[in-house]
């Protein structure tokens, strides 16, 4: 009875070790880069948070940081164990609308800061947006190279959340005039919208 239990325990330990080592070399490098990018994104939020002036941006930063913290723990756990994580991948929910202002208004040309005192909410929201876009790109590349099925699914399921957080930041920037969205003329827009048609020719 004791011997049987020991064998069963030993087999389980062996299986767990096998699962945690179920990673390809390319996958290891991609995941180290991706997890490092998530850490950098979170660190950036911690450093920039005291400089935020706008309460709306502060709310976005806090919500995104807290969600990213959970996402980070889920990814790291699945990567370390090769098993389903204790806390599954969540779904980020924006609290803002998704309406963009279209059109361009003249303004001062953008240029690099001359000193740190010029740091403002426009710069901070841009830094946060760039970080989320970078994580989304890294995860997309990693998901296509990951051989461990659990980790691949966790990474793939996390990509839409990064996209959503980047989208929320781009809406914030647009609403405050930091990011303008030009459009084509109505005639050119219509021509482009009608440039493609659907088809019904499946392969048999």
């Amino acid at each position: 009875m004791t011997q049987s239990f020991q064998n069963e325990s030993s087999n389980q330990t062996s299986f767990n070790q096998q699962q945690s080592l179920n990673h390809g070399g390319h996958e290891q490098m991609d995941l180290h880069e991706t997890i490092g990018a998530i850490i950098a994104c979170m660190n950036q939020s911690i450093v920039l948070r005291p400089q935020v002036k706008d309460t709306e941006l502060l709310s976005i930063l806090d919500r995104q940081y807290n969600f990213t913290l959970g996402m980070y723990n889920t990814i790291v756990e699945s990567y370390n164990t090769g098993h389903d994580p204790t806390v599954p991948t969540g779904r980020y929910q924006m609290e803002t609308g998704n309406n963009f202002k279209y059109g361009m208004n003249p303004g001062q040309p953008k240029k690099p800061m001359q000193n740190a005192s010029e740091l403002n909410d426009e710069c901070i929201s841009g830094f946060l947006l760039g970080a989320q876009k970078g994580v989304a790109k890294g995860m997309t590349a990693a998901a296509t190279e990951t051989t461990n099925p659990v980790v691949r699914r966790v990474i793939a399921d996390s990509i839409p959340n990064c996209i959503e957080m980047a989208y929320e930041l781009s809406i914030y920037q647009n609403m405050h005039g930091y990011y303008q969205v030009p459009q084509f003329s109505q005639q050119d827009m219509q021509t482009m919208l009608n440039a493609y048609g659907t088809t019904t020719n499946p392969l048999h």
Side-chain angles (χ1 to χ4, degrees), residues 4-185:
S4 173
F5 176 77
Q6 286 176 344
N7 287 341
E8 187 176 317
S9 176
S10 175
N11 288 341
Q12 185 63 42
T13 302
S14 175
F15 175 75
N16 287 339
Q17 288 174 343
Q18 217 172 16
Q19 283 296 102
S20 66
L21 295 176
N22 183 16
H23 301 288
H26 202 139
E27 171 185 356
Q28 294 273 38
M29 301 306 293
D30 280 347
L31 284 169
H32 273 252
E33 189 171 336
T34 298
I35 293 170
I38 297 171
I39 291 173
C41 179
M42 295 172 70
N43 288 346
Q44 189 178 74
S45 294
I46 294 292
V47 170
L48 294 173
R49 190 181 189 282
Q51 309 302 322
V52 176
K53 304 280 192 303
D54 183 27
T55 55
E56 181 187 1
L57 180 58
L58 188 62
S59 175
I60 292 172
L61 185 152
D62 286 348
R63 281 188 288 106
Q64 292 196 0
Y65 180 90
N66 292 335
F67 184 88
T68 303
L69 176 63
M71 180 178 74
Y72 168 81
N73 288 331
T74 293
I75 291 170
V76 169
E77 183 186 351
S78 66
Y79 174 55
N80 287 342
T81 67
H83 294 291
D84 288 335
T86 309
V87 179
T89 307
R91 182 180 176 196
Y92 184 76
Q93 298 280 355
M94 294 193 311
E95 290 187 1
T96 55
N98 58 2
N99 295 320
F100 271 86
K101 293 178 186 174
Y102 293 97
M104 301 291 289
N105 294 313
Q108 291 297 316
K110 294 184 185 295
K111 57 184 180 180
M113 295 181 348
Q114 298 300 301
N115 58 69
S117 66
E118 296 178 50
L119 184 66
N120 56 26
D121 289 337
E122 179 177 2
C123 294
I124 292 170
S125 58
F127 290 149
L128 297 173
L129 174 58
Q132 287 294 350
K133 288 167 70 174
V135 172
K137 290 175 184 176
M139 282 188 177
T140 302
T144 63
E145 299 286 354
T146 300
T147 57
N148 183 289
V150 174
V151 180
R152 188 193 72 81
R153 177 47 53 202
V154 168
I155 294 291
D157 287 348
S158 298
I159 296 168
N161 292 316
C162 296
I163 293 171
E164 200 76 356
M165 288 187 276
Y167 185 56
E168 182 176 41
L169 287 161
S170 68
I171 292 171
Y172 171 85
Q173 286 209 314
N174 175 254
M175 289 297 109
H176 289 78
Y178 305 149
Y179 170 56
Q180 300 190 69
V181 182
Q183 282 189 308
F184 291 115
S185 69

